[in-house]
């Protein structure tokens, strides 16, 4: 998880039970439920995101 200077958090979560991956964004607002959102990614999409961020691969651990 990465926290920006203005308090927003961004991260990728892998659910090991079913292999699902989510891109998570928390807008930093406790009063606005829409300030937090997630986007489900396929393995291929997660790898593309990793490459965009300068990573060579996504490592999965049990």
């Amino acid at each position: 998880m990465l926290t920006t200077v203005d308090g927003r958090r961004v991260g990728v979560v892998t659910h090991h039970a079913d292999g699902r991956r989510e891109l998570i964004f928390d807008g930093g607002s406790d009063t606005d439920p829409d300030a937090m959102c997630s986007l489900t990614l396929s393995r291929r999409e997660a790898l593309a995101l990793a490459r965009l961020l300068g990573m060579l691969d996504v490592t999965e651990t049990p």
Side-chain angles (χ1 to χ4, degrees):
M1 187 73 65
L2 164 75
T3 302
T4 65
V5 293
D6 59 354
R8 295 179 173 155
R9 296 183 302 164
V10 179
V12 176
V13 176
T14 301
H15 301 269
H16 295 289
D18 60 8
R20 190 170 37 102
R21 296 159 191 85
E22 291 182 289
L23 175 64
I24 304 292
F25 172 74
D26 181 352
S29 173
D30 292 333
T31 59
D32 182 4
D34 293 329
M36 183 165 185
C37 62
S38 68
L39 173 68
T40 302
L41 303 172
S42 68
R43 174 162 174 75
R44 177 182 234 165
E45 292 163 338
L47 289 170
L49 176 60
R51 287 187 194 106
L52 286 171
L53 296 173
M55 300 172 62
L56 297 177
D57 198 0
V58 174
T59 303
E60 297 182 26
T61 59

